[in-house]
Amino acid sequence: MIKFRAWDKRENTMRDVAVLHFTKGGKVNSIEYWKTPSELKSYHVRNLILMQSTGFKDNNDTEIFEGDVINIHWFYADFDPVELGAFENEEYAERVIVKKEFGNFGFWWEEADSWVDLATLAMSARLDEESFEILGNIYENAELLKGANE
C-alpha cells in the first residue's frame, strides 16, 4: 500500500495522511489526517507538503519517506590472510537526503556525482535494512542538512 505523510506548514508539524482527496483532473486537492483517535481533520494541500513512503525501513523498523535525512552504512568485503576468509567491514556512513527524482526514490551521491536509486541499490549492492538509519527529516531537523548530500 502506498503511504503518505504531510508537513503542515501552518502548524509546523508532521501529519500521517489517512485519506487523499483528488480533483476531477487527478491532482491531490486535500488530505484527511487523524487529529484525535476518533476525529479526522481535513486540510487543503496549499498548506501541506506531501511526502511518499519509499517502501524501505531503517534499522529501527521505521518507514523511510521522501525528505528523510538518513545515514547509509556502506559495507564492503575484506579478506583476512590469517583466517583465510572474507569478513564484513563497515567502511563509512554517509548522510543523504531521500528524494524522488526520475520517477524513483533515491539520493545524490557526491562521491560519484550521480543519482542513486534505492531499489536498484538494494538489489545490486549488499544493503539491507540495517544499512539505513533515519536521523530526522528536512522540515523538523534543519540542522541535519549541514553535511548531507543534497
Side-chain angles (χ1 to χ4, degrees):
M1 172 176 19
I2 299 173
K3 294 182 184 177
F4 291 89
R5 70 178 183 192
W7 176 249
D8 182 334
K9 296 186 278 189
R10 285 188 178 175
E11 296 185 26
N12 289 328
T13 191
M14 198 64 73
R15 306 282 184 203
D16 290 321
V17 175
V19 178
L20 293 173
H21 295 280
F22 294 88
T23 64
K24 288 183 182 179
K27 293 184 178 183
V28 176
N29 182 42
S30 64
I31 69 152
E32 291 182 29
Y33 68 91
W34 292 104
K35 186 172 182 178
T36 66
S38 60
E39 178 190 4
L40 276 175
K41 173 118 173 132
S42 184
Y43 253 60
H44 192 278
V45 291
R46 72 175 165 265
N47 304 318
L48 302 169
I49 299 170
L50 282 175
M51 292 163 273
Q52 186 176 341
S53 168
T54 64
F56 287 93
K57 292 185 177 182
D58 78 346
N59 57 350
N60 296 310
D61 205 35
T62 303
E63 201 158 359
I64 300 173
F65 283 83
E66 291 177 80
D68 280 342
V69 179
I70 62 173
N71 267 345
I72 294 186
H73 299 273
W74 299 96
F75 292 91
Y76 65 96
D78 211 345
F79 186 76
D80 183 350
V82 176
E83 298 291 323
L84 298 176
F87 66 96
E88 201 171 83
N89 211 344
E90 183 173 339
E91 186 174 1
Y92 61 94
E94 185 170 10
R95 187 183 309 177
V96 298
I97 299 169
V98 177
K99 298 179 177 193
K100 187 174 186 179
E101 293 192 25
F102 312 111
N104 299 306
F105 296 106
F107 58 90
W108 284 100
W109 186 25
E110 275 187 13
E111 189 172 308
D113 192 31
S114 63
W115 174 254
V116 178
D117 174 291
L118 284 178
T120 303
L121 179 65
M123 288 188 297
S124 63
R126 189 165 174 339
L127 284 181
D128 50 32
E129 291 178 350
E130 288 76 39
S131 301
F132 304 115
E133 174 190 13
I134 296 175
L135 302 174
N137 64 67
I138 61 174
Y139 301 103
E140 295 173 304
N141 312 98
E143 72 278 3
L144 294 174
L145 297 178
K146 275 189 171 180
N149 296 342
E150 294 189 57

